[in-house]
Amino acid sequence: MLRLTLTLLVLAAMGAVGYHAWNLQRQIDTADATAVTFADAHTSAVRAAFDLRSAQQAYVAAGQNKDFWFQKVTVAAAGIRSSLESLEQATTSAAAHAALTEAAGYLDEFDEQDRRVRNYTSSGQDLLASDVIFSDGRDSITRLLAALDLAADAAAAERTAASKAIRREQLIAAGAAAGLAVLVLLVLTPLPGIITGAESASESAQSEKGQSLDLDLRPTPRYVVTQPAAPRAAPPPTQKKAQQTPEPALAPEPAPPARVQLDELARVCSDLARLSDTGSIPGILERTAAALDASGLVLWVADSEGQVLTPIAAHGYPASVLSRMGTLRVDGENATAAAFRTGLVQSVRADGSAAGAIAAPLVAPGGPLGVISAEVRHDVARHDERLAAATIVAAQLATIIGIPAGGEAAETDTAAHS
């Protein structure tokens, strides 16, 4: 009865632990789905903010249809507000909500500034409109982007802490169930040298029976005659030979690396040549990564003095990672800095712990402008086909980055002397 009770207790505990673990896993799955929703809304808000800034700057561009850009700014602002509502619903972090509230305030500031700018441009005062666009308007969008990144970091920190707490609770529940099972097994296992009640009663009955009977004094034989066992049949020669010479197993061949998608690469270069909106750069980088079979791309642009490289766009990395990536010195010991200094494409071979990399410089007549770096798969960083494809994309990107400030000054001086 005791064994049955303990066995049922262990089964009930295992069932309770399994149900609890299932509920915890459902919470993890829900948190993962919410994180995906938050990331999508954050990306939409960032892209809409870039579109908002570019469209407002087009108000004062020569030959532009102001009504078209007015409508584009209105649509982009509405998209940001919708994304902010989705972000607030996708997180419970107080810090993230505070950052999103700040972002909404910066958007309100931009709307007020945009109304002033529209009045200026409608009345032909483009100089006053330009002053507001390139000072107050640009600052409001910059603060809006910073608030969005702050909200993303706070939400990610909260999700990490919640996931750790759930995993810890799962481990505690599993450990408690395992401890209970071990304890029950120890209780049910009899120790050596201890006679149970049933065995003691059996031995007492045999002792009493032996005392009531006479001793058996008949001699017992010293040897026991047994029948010889039949000899075992030898296995067939064919079976023995088959067991001695097993066929070796063939090792699977590794999958070949993906080739460069030249047709997609050609379409990317064509779109870069027709690029008129900087908000399309992230999408083009995504297609470039697919064509190069790269897991991540970063576009670096040099400052006016050509001493520091700053990341301005990326694919394959979260926006928070790009904001924390920082700058690179051009004299640094890395492939990106070496590509900028030498003007030659650089590659890094993959090893067991890190992927390979390609760094292609963006070169113009006045000197290097920046670098595009790619994290590639399958250890193909030294394949000529992939290096050539990265060089083609870098050359096309150099045509849209423009000439650095130092280069413009040099050309101005040359024109003045001539």
Side-chain angles (χ1 to χ4, degrees):
M1 186 64 181
L2 177 61
R3 293 175 180 270
L4 179 60
T5 301
L6 293 177
T7 301
L8 293 177
L9 179 62
V10 170
L11 293 177
M14 292 298 181
V17 169
Y19 179 75
H20 185 57
W22 178 70
N23 282 331
L24 294 177
Q25 187 60 44
R26 287 185 60 189
Q27 296 179 16
I28 293 176
D29 295 340
T30 302
D32 292 341
T34 304
V36 172
T37 302
F38 187 94
D40 293 341
H42 179 268
T43 301
S44 299
V46 170
R47 290 182 177 178
F50 281 114
D51 291 342
L52 197 65
R53 181 169 60 186
S54 302
Q56 191 186 52
Q57 293 175 0
Y59 288 178
V60 294
Q64 295 295 322
N65 185 352
K66 294 181 176 58
D67 293 334
F68 171 78
W69 293 111
F70 288 168
Q71 181 64 24
K72 190 172 182 63
V73 167
T74 302
V75 172
I80 294 177
R81 294 190 186 279
S82 177
S83 298
L84 290 177
E85 293 178 359
S86 300
L87 290 172
E88 289 181 354
Q89 296 174 1
T91 182
T92 58
S93 172
H97 283 173
L100 293 174
T101 302
E102 292 182 1
Y106 295 140
L107 184 59
D108 293 337
E109 290 180 2
F110 182 86
D111 289 341
E112 179 64 26
Q113 296 159 4
D114 187 65
R115 283 191 290 271
R116 292 166 49 198
V117 170
R118 294 188 183 188
N119 291 332
Y120 289 147
T121 55
S122 298
S123 60
Q125 301 178 13
D126 290 345
L127 184 60
L128 293 177
S130 299
D131 184 43
V132 176
I133 290 173
F134 291 98
S135 58
D136 297 340
R138 184 176 60 183
D139 293 342
S140 297
I141 294 300
T142 301
R143 290 192 292 266
L144 172 63
L145 292 172
L148 288 174
D149 290 341
L150 183 61
D153 293 340
E158 184 198 37
R159 287 194 301 270
T160 301
S163 179
K164 288 182 178 179
I166 293 176
R167 297 295 185 189
R168 189 182 304 110
E169 190 173 353
Q170 284 181 330
L171 291 176
I172 292 174
L180 178 61
V182 171
L183 179 61
V184 171
L185 289 176
L186 291 177
V187 172
L188 295 179
T189 303
L191 297 178
I194 298 180
I195 302 176
T196 61
E199 293 174 350
S200 178
S202 177
E203 290 182 357
S204 299
Q206 290 179 0
S207 177
E208 293 176 359
K209 183 178 179 181
Q211 291 177 1
S212 62
L213 298 176
D214 295 335
L215 295 178
D216 188 6
L217 300 180
R218 292 175 296 178
T220 56
R222 297 182 60 185
Y223 302 100
V224 178
V225 180
T226 59
Q227 296 293 333
R232 295 182 179 179
T238 57
Q239 295 181 0
K240 184 175 181 181
K241 183 177 181 180
Q243 294 177 358
Q244 291 179 355
T245 58
E247 295 182 358
L250 297 177
E253 297 181 357
R259 297 184 61 85
V260 175
Q261 301 178 16
L262 295 180
D263 53 348
E264 179 62 20
L265 189 66
R267 286 191 291 270
V268 167
C269 291
S270 299
D271 292 343
L272 284 174
R274 296 190 298 265
L275 184 65
S276 60
D277 187 0
T278 57
S280 303
I281 291 181
I284 291 179
L285 291 182
E286 180 179 0
R287 293 165 53 195
T288 304
L292 295 176
D293 191 29
S295 58
L297 284 176
V298 179
L299 178 60
W300 304 81
V301 174
D303 62 346
S304 60
E305 298 179 357
Q307 300 296 324
V308 177
L309 295 173
T310 303
I312 63 169
H315 167 70
Y317 307 99
S320 57
V321 173
L322 181 62
S323 62
R324 296 194 301 267
M325 192 173 294
T327 59
L328 289 178
R329 297 284 302 177
V330 298
D331 55 356
E333 296 296 330
N334 53 75
T336 302
F340 182 83
R341 291 195 308 268
T342 62
L344 300 175
V345 64
Q346 305 289 325
S347 62
V348 178
R349 184 178 295 276
D351 54 22
S353 60
I358 297 176
L362 279 61
V363 182
L369 303 177
V371 178
I372 180 172
S373 60
E375 184 176 348
V376 294
R377 308 181 180 96
H378 303 299
D379 193 17
V380 292
R382 298 185 182 274
H383 283 201
D384 295 339
E385 178 185 3
R386 207 163 303 274
L387 298 180
T391 304
I392 294 173
V393 175
Q396 191 63 45
L397 283 172
T399 62
I400 67 172
I401 295 301
I403 303 175
E408 293 178 355
E411 292 182 359
T412 304
D413 293 342
T414 303
H417 286 300
S418 61

